[in-house]
Amino acid sequence: MNTVGFPSDAPGRLVPTGISTWSAQTWQVLTVAVIMVSVTTWGISRKRGCERPGCEGRGSSALELLLQVMILAPTMLLCCWGSSCPEPLRAVGTDRPTVAVPGDSVELRCRAVTYTQAGSLGLEWRNLRTRDVILACGEDGGECRAYREGAWLVDGQREAGDLSLRLDRVRVTDAGRYRCTIFTGTHSSAALMDLSVVALGTKPVISVECLSNSTLLYSCGSSGWFPEPALVWKSSDGTSLLPRSNVSRTRGAGGLYGLEIQYWAQHHVPDSVICIVRNTVTNGKMVSAARTSDLLCRAQVRVGQTDCTKPESAWESEPGGQRVSGN
């Protein structure tokens, strides 16, 4: 990939300068010319070979076969070479997903190659996930029309073949696969690329609430994630608390995800708990850990007339507290 994010030409292919821009018609004319020259040369060679005395037109079969191979091999090579050359119109995009944060601006890269009049091309940008047309441009340098607010064609680059799309104020609904289609009256080409929208949410907040002498309620909450995050909820010894927990997932304003997890500890109280929320696209994560003793030492929690007690610890009585949080 080069410095602007476009894939480079495949290495190891030797194409003389200028040949890659030849049209299909040029290759057809060249192939016909080579065949005609080869047949003419073959006929002249046979005629000269039969001018000696006693020649009646009977040549060696092996020699004739060798001559035919020598004549047809270059022709076939040129035909194959011509057919493998780039099409007269081709769209090229990025080969890696583009990552954006909600509210930011992003550019989806697309360009036209092997075409000398890129400014006269028609263009359509479409989100294949939603099937919505984002931006369309008419042929012969026609004006572009945006169907999404904040969608633009990169300024001043259309004539140079750069047909990249700019999206302002990115939303989570913009995520998906995009198709850049360029076309003329007789040809068209398309390139596909992915846009990933990611949001790293808030640091998890861990809290504990005393429900009875033998029951503690541990909670962990976080919000502002996209896409839906992965969750790790465990005790200090590495035991997962998820199988015995209640997980609530919500989707709020702007399509961002939030979650809250609750674990009821009875009889066995973990020394500490760890809550990890991870973005599944970037692997960015937020981590919080809290010790039970630190959470409960801050206040005495009363349930009715019964005092909650903390194992192996003594702490001052502060009536009236109902929920204690730690980060």
Side-chain angles (χ1 to χ4, degrees):
M1 180 178 294
N2 56 28
T3 56
V4 297
F6 291 120
S8 303
D9 295 334
R13 184 177 179 184
L14 301 178
V15 180
T17 302
I19 289 184
S20 60
T21 60
W22 289 2
S23 65
Q25 292 79 6
T26 302
W27 283 108
Q28 292 173 2
V29 172
L30 179 61
T31 301
V32 172
V34 170
I35 292 176
M36 293 179 63
V37 171
S38 299
V39 172
T40 302
T41 304
W42 182 34
I44 294 175
S45 299
R46 293 199 61 188
K47 182 178 179 180
R48 289 181 178 179
C50 291
E51 290 179 351
R52 64 182 183 274
C55 177
E56 298 178 356
R58 298 189 304 269
S60 169
S61 298
L63 180 59
E64 289 185 1
L65 179 60
L66 178 60
L67 289 174
Q68 292 176 11
V69 171
M70 293 176 63
I71 293 172
L72 294 179
T75 304
M76 294 177 64
L77 178 61
L78 287 174
C79 289
C80 293
W81 190 7
S83 62
S84 65
C85 282
E87 302 87 1
L89 177 65
R90 183 159 61 96
V92 177
T94 52
D95 55 357
R96 293 183 180 180
T98 302
V99 179
V101 176
D104 286 355
S105 297
V106 67
E107 288 187 4
L108 298 177
R109 311 294 293 176
C110 179
R111 66 171 180 172
V113 297
T114 67
Y115 195 79
T116 58
Q117 297 178 347
S120 64
L121 291 173
L123 171 67
E124 180 189 83
W125 276 96
R126 182 183 294 267
N127 186 328
L128 298 183
R129 183 183 64 84
T130 62
R131 301 183 182 275
D132 294 334
V133 175
I134 307 300
L135 183 141
C137 304
E139 294 183 59
D140 300 325
E143 294 184 0
C144 297
R145 180 179 178 183
Y147 296 89
R148 174 208 181 272
E149 184 179 0
W152 314 87
L153 198 63
V154 176
D155 293 338
Q157 299 298 318
R158 187 176 178 185
E159 294 293 334
D162 188 347
L163 304 173
S164 301
L165 175 70
R166 177 183 174 90
L167 297 177
D168 293 333
R169 298 180 299 279
V170 172
R171 306 183 290 263
V172 297
T173 52
D174 292 324
R177 173 158 290 187
Y178 284 74
R179 182 177 65 198
C180 168
T181 304
I182 56 178
F183 56 89
T184 63
T186 56
H187 296 87
S188 66
S189 180
L192 300 178
M193 61 214 70
D194 294 316
L195 173 62
S196 297
V197 179
V198 299
L200 195 63
T202 60
K203 185 177 181 179
V205 176
I206 299 176
S207 62
V208 63
E209 186 176 354
C210 188
L211 302 181
S212 70
N213 282 339
S214 59
T215 303
L216 293 177
L217 173 60
Y218 292 85
S219 300
C220 176
S222 181
S223 61
W225 294 84
F226 191 85
E228 187 173 351
L231 176 66
V232 175
W233 179 233
K234 61 184 179 179
S235 61
S236 56
D237 61 2
T239 302
S240 176
L241 304 177
L242 284 174
R244 292 172 289 173
S245 300
N246 179 32
V247 181
S248 175
R249 300 178 185 268
T250 59
R251 195 167 186 182
L256 300 179
Y257 288 94
L259 56 84
E260 184 171 3
I261 184 169
Q262 295 179 324
Y263 168 70
W264 287 265
Q266 295 179 327
H267 307 297
H268 174 68
V269 177
D271 292 335
S272 61
V273 289
I274 301 172
C275 186
I276 304 174
V277 188
R278 179 177 59 85
N279 188 290
T280 56
V281 176
T282 64
N283 285 324
K285 59 187 177 182
M286 290 290 187
V287 182
S288 288
R291 295 174 54 190
T292 302
S293 58
D294 291 339
L295 291 173
L296 290 179
C297 277
R298 299 176 188 175
Q300 179 180 6
V301 184
R302 294 184 181 274
V303 181
Q305 298 299 321
T306 304
D307 289 343
C308 288
T309 59
K310 178 179 68 63
E312 301 179 1
S313 180
W315 28 272
E316 296 181 3
S317 175
E318 296 180 11
Q322 278 294 322
R323 192 174 181 86
V324 183
S325 299
N327 292 314

